[in-house]
Amino acid sequence: MCGIVGYIGGKQAAPILIDGLARLEYRGYDSAGIAVIEPGSALIVRKAPGKLSALVDSLKGATPEGFSGIGHTRWATHGSPTEANAHPHTDCSQQVVVVHNGIVENYLALKEDLQKQGHPFASETDTEVIPHLIESYMTEGVGFEEAVRLTAQRIQGAQAVVALHVKDKGRLVAFRLGNAGGITVGYGNGEMFLASDLPALLPYTSQVAFLAPGEMVTIDAADARFRSIKGPAIRKYPQAAPYDSVAIAKEGFRHFMLKEIMEQPSMVHRAIGGKVSFEPADVHLPGFPFTDPQVREINRVVLTGMGTSLYACMVGRTYMEHIAGIPAEADNASELRYRGPILDDRTLVVSVSQSGETADTLAAMEEAARQGAKQITICNVEGSQSTRMAHGTVFIGVGPEIGVASTKCLTGALAALYLLAVRLGKARGFLNQGRVESLLNDLASVPRLIGQALEQEHLCERLSQKYGDAFNFLFLGRGINMPIAMEGALKLKEVSYIHAEGYPAGEMKHGPIALIDKSMPTVALAPSDALHDKMRSNIEEVKARGGKVIAVVTQGQHDLADIADDLIEVPLSPYLVSPMVHVAPLQLLAYYFAIKRGCDVDQPRNLAKTVTVE
Ligand code: AGP
């Protein structure tokens, strides 16, 4: 979850590290720190609890000088967000300095051993065992790089580490174990970079290489040398980075979240553009790995993910059933991995992950691989771990998503799942050509329909003023829009800290209705579809108990005008694509509620963009 940067070259390291950390703050913002080796070989470590701005303020303009260094922005797991627990961490002699992302699962045993050997500990973190272990190997006469390698063999759990040694300031050594986020190497001209994620590197280089689990790298100002943690050298060459830095700037929007909500029409258009053709109507998924006979063997689809990606899976389940004609289920990855699921080579496991690095999703994929299931991942980050684990990938393709609250990646993932279902349905003979054409025409209308739904931005802002003092919200939906109700509640919780619950509307009478009174507004998704009358009955039930209702309805549909307190009108949308349209006003509501309450929209408290720990 934490962000890591490293620099070595001819420029001052500290400003580059701080700039990189600013681009990675979405990974965690409980504390920040940098370590730089000064030309006289003094190690300077500066850290501060809180956001990166607190670190910058604490430097008071006296930025440490030196040409190599490492930096870290933390999402706390072991130990509260204090200065002592902030990274970088050092050994006893202040010679080894380390930044770390992930969890050292056996740290208690290692710490006990190291303490017995006389190593004092200054923090409550698991991380601190790493510099002490490196130091203990070096006191036995082992060189720095080898000491890092041996340390990597001693620690358990998924993690990424970058280490620097004061007497070896011309090199940075990094390794990756398991799936706790990656290490990307950036190649410059006479300078080299390391980072946990691409956005930190893109202003400096477009040539990158990725570290796979079990690999380590040593960089100097000129080049990178890769090897397996087990020992043998690995050949790896720089490749063009998949994103450009212009694409991740805010482009005049106040927050990334708003930018990413508003760019959904163009991004979804871009995402489906390259995957669909119309004469004849067809789907082209370059990363789709299975032959038609292999597809016909599939007798079940299991979709899995976490958070917003799980809600995408729940909509995807309907796509698999209605478009591909295959029995499907959607399951929370953190549950799937431990439940002892029954999977086999006739099961297609579809994982959905914006980042491709979510620990629980990757663990569920590992379980699926162990049982021999076919696997496809729906992912937005090229080169990420889920894309390396699955047999094939359908890229979401909506450009980098920086806001911690996922928005455009949900609509993009839904479009990708829809296309995957068409591809499967065609291969299985479940869809005739006419149906393929009409499904693709419906999908092609989505960018326009989302654009129209986003025209309700000012109404959503006004509603945030009207209802912004409520402490609790209920979100209700049915059918394909039920997961969208759950997503609406998640978005509101995440960015505005208002308690919200998303429910299938039919479930309301079985408990949640007890909560309803005039202080708990309900957002009801009630478009003109086959379930509209059922939704109207649920809305009547809320009103009969004095509740306030904001109804999301189809433009021109007036039967709820006298019942609901407020209407948000969205364009008439084909049923199967309607979730991509109906989610837009819910995203805007969450955004404007957060603004009204003065919340930090792009960096909500306690959250991180990518959850690389269990
Ligand atoms: C969404 O707004 C959340 N920040 C979170 O639920 C997210 O969707 C979840 O952590 C899964 O992430 P992934 O898509 O990168 O796997």
Side-chain angles (χ1 to χ4, degrees):
M1 322 258 300
C2 309
I4 288 178
V5 287
Y7 174 79
I8 192 155
K11 300 191 186 118
Q12 287 298 331
I16 293 171
L17 298 174
I18 289 171
D19 180 58
L21 292 180
R23 292 167 203 281
L24 293 185
E25 235 189 337
Y26 62 87
R27 286 192 65 100
Y29 29 83
D30 287 334
S31 62
I34 55 170
V36 171
I37 301 189
E38 290 198 323
S41 289
L43 173 67
I44 310 294
V45 179
R46 295 279 182 268
K47 38 195 196 177
K51 295 192 173 186
L52 180 66
S53 54
L55 172 70
V56 173
D57 290 348
S58 74
L59 294 175
K60 297 194 178 82
T63 313
E65 294 190 359
F67 303 107
S68 56
I70 54 181
H72 189 268
T73 177
R74 177 171 186 243
W75 186 84
T77 60
H78 292 60
S80 50
T82 60
E83 184 173 336
N85 290 333
H87 299 215
H89 288 285
T90 57
D91 64 338
C92 314
S93 54
Q94 303 275 305
Q95 298 285 294
V96 179
V97 62
V98 158
V99 287
H100 171 228
N101 172 28
I103 293 175
V104 182
E105 288 174 359
N106 55 337
Y107 86 101
L108 281 175
L110 292 170
K111 186 170 176 176
E112 217 176 285
D113 275 2
L114 287 158
Q115 279 171 328
K116 278 186 200 145
Q117 290 169 32
H119 291 261
F121 278 73
S123 77
E124 306 157 283
T125 66
D126 53 331
T127 304
E128 207 185 341
V129 298
I130 299 171
H132 287 284
L133 270 177
I134 297 172
E135 177 185 34
S136 76
Y137 282 115
M138 291 185 76
T139 49
E140 289 167 15
V142 175
F144 173 56
E145 191 179 339
E146 181 63 2
V148 175
R149 190 178 78 83
L150 295 171
T151 298
Q153 292 182 343
R154 288 279 300 282
I155 60 178
Q156 289 166 9
Q159 47 222 300
V161 169
V162 181
L164 181 58
H165 192 280
V166 168
K167 299 220 171 75
D168 212 344
K169 63 186 178 204
R171 291 194 293 173
L172 295 181
V173 184
F175 65 83
R176 175 179 183 174
L177 292 173
N179 296 320
I183 292 280
T184 304
V185 180
Y187 293 73
N189 191 4
E191 56 187 356
M192 295 286 288
F193 307 82
L194 293 171
S196 50
D197 303 75
L198 267 178
L201 302 182
L202 290 174
Y204 304 100
T205 178
S206 59
Q207 292 297 301
V208 296
F210 301 101
L211 219 57
E215 291 181 354
M216 62 185 287
V217 64
T218 302
I219 61 166
D220 57 27
D223 208 355
R225 272 187 301 109
F226 297 87
R227 64 195 287 202
S228 157
I229 287 169
K230 292 189 180 133
I234 297 169
R235 271 174 195 270
K236 232 177 239 253
Y237 300 100
Q239 52 183 271
Y243 297 141
D244 66 80
S245 52
V246 177
I248 55 175
K250 277 190 206 152
E251 290 171 9
F253 285 96
R254 192 166 153 201
H255 295 100
F256 279 113
M257 182 180 177
L258 185 59
K259 175 199 167 217
E260 288 160 3
I261 293 171
M262 299 311 283
E263 72 187 7
Q264 286 178 106
S266 58
M267 287 298 149
V268 173
H269 183 264
R270 185 174 105 173
I272 58 185
K275 300 179 188 125
V276 167
S277 62
F278 277 99
E279 284 175 359
D282 206 355
V283 172
H284 311 279
L285 302 178
F288 186 82
F290 305 121
T291 61
D292 286 0
Q294 285 174 318
V295 170
R296 287 193 280 273
E297 284 167 12
I298 296 168
N299 62 5
R300 174 179 166 228
V301 178
V302 174
L303 299 111
T304 193
M306 299 297 289
T308 293
S309 291
L310 173 61
Y311 300 140
C313 291
M314 290 163 71
V315 175
R317 171 177 59 195
T318 305
Y319 293 164
M320 295 304 151
E321 289 171 346
H322 289 232
I323 301 177
I326 314 178
E329 55 207 78
D331 210 343
N332 178 299
S334 66
E335 292 297 318
L336 182 71
R337 64 182 291 192
Y338 290 122
R339 202 185 55 233
I342 299 170
L343 310 166
D344 59 26
D345 60 354
R346 300 192 67 189
T347 310
L348 174 65
V349 171
V350 178
S351 51
V352 179
S353 177
Q354 173 279 131
S355 60
E357 303 286 352
T358 296
D360 285 310
T361 307
L362 297 179
M365 292 177 73
E366 267 167 18
E367 177 59 22
R370 202 181 62 75
Q371 297 196 37
K374 296 182 172 65
Q375 291 209 60
I376 289 187
T377 193
I378 309 283
C379 183
N380 199 41
V381 179
E382 288 181 38
S384 62
Q385 190 57 17
S386 76
T387 66
R388 291 194 283 255
M389 288 169 72
H391 295 113
T393 300
V394 181
F395 280 107
I396 296 174
V398 294
E401 186 180 72
I402 302 299
V404 166
S406 188
T407 53
K408 65 177 179 173
C409 275
L410 171 68
T411 42
L414 293 180
L417 285 163
Y418 186 99
L419 289 170
L420 176 63
V422 174
R423 176 73 181 79
L424 296 172
K426 235 189 129 189
R428 288 165 52 82
F430 185 76
L431 299 175
N432 61 32
Q433 189 56 27
R435 181 74 180 127
V436 170
E437 195 171 324
S438 102
L439 284 165
L440 295 184
N441 273 319
D442 288 350
L443 185 62
S445 68
V446 166
R448 173 179 54 81
L449 295 170
I450 299 178
Q452 288 169 13
L454 291 173
E455 286 169 14
Q456 300 295 5
E457 180 182 3
H458 296 303
L459 171 62
C460 292
E461 188 173 6
R462 285 201 300 280
L463 292 174
S464 73
Q465 297 300 323
K466 182 170 172 184
Y467 294 99
D469 295 326
F471 290 109
N472 300 289
F473 265 82
L474 191 60
F475 284 71
L476 299 177
R478 281 180 181 262
I480 202 163
N481 285 300
M482 181 270 282
I484 298 305
M486 300 175 94
E487 168 65 3
L490 175 66
K491 285 283 94 75
L492 192 67
K493 278 186 269 217
E494 276 190 297
V495 296
S496 74
Y497 316 144
I498 297 173
H499 171 244
E501 297 296 337
Y503 269 99
E507 182 71 18
M508 184 180 66
K509 285 195 271 296
H510 299 271
I513 200 166
L515 296 169
I516 292 191
D517 63 15
K518 63 179 181 341
S519 66
M520 180 168 182
T522 296
V523 177
L525 288 165
S528 295
D529 61 20
L531 298 167
H532 177 77
D533 291 348
K534 307 274 175 213
M535 280 305 303
R536 190 176 54 222
S537 303
N538 295 127
I539 291 170
E540 300 267 19
E541 287 156 9
V542 173
K543 289 304 299 173
R545 282 151 187 88
K548 298 263 186 292
V549 174
I550 302 170
V552 178
V553 298
T554 303
Q555 254 155 27
Q557 167 198 311
H558 298 299
D559 64 322
L560 291 174
D562 297 333
I563 309 172
D565 296 87
D566 290 282
L567 298 182
I568 302 177
E569 294 193 33
V570 290
L572 179 65
S573 309
Y575 182 69
L576 290 172
V577 300
S578 66
M580 299 178 228
V581 182
H582 296 157
V583 76
L586 306 193
Q587 296 166 338
L588 287 169
L589 280 177
Y591 175 79
Y592 280 108
F593 272 82
I595 295 294
K596 145 100 179 138
R597 294 164 68 99
C599 300
D600 190 341
V601 174
D602 281 335
Q603 296 180 337
R605 69 184 179 206
N606 303 338
L607 296 181
K609 180 72 181 158
T610 309
V611 183
T612 55
V613 292
E614 248 192 271

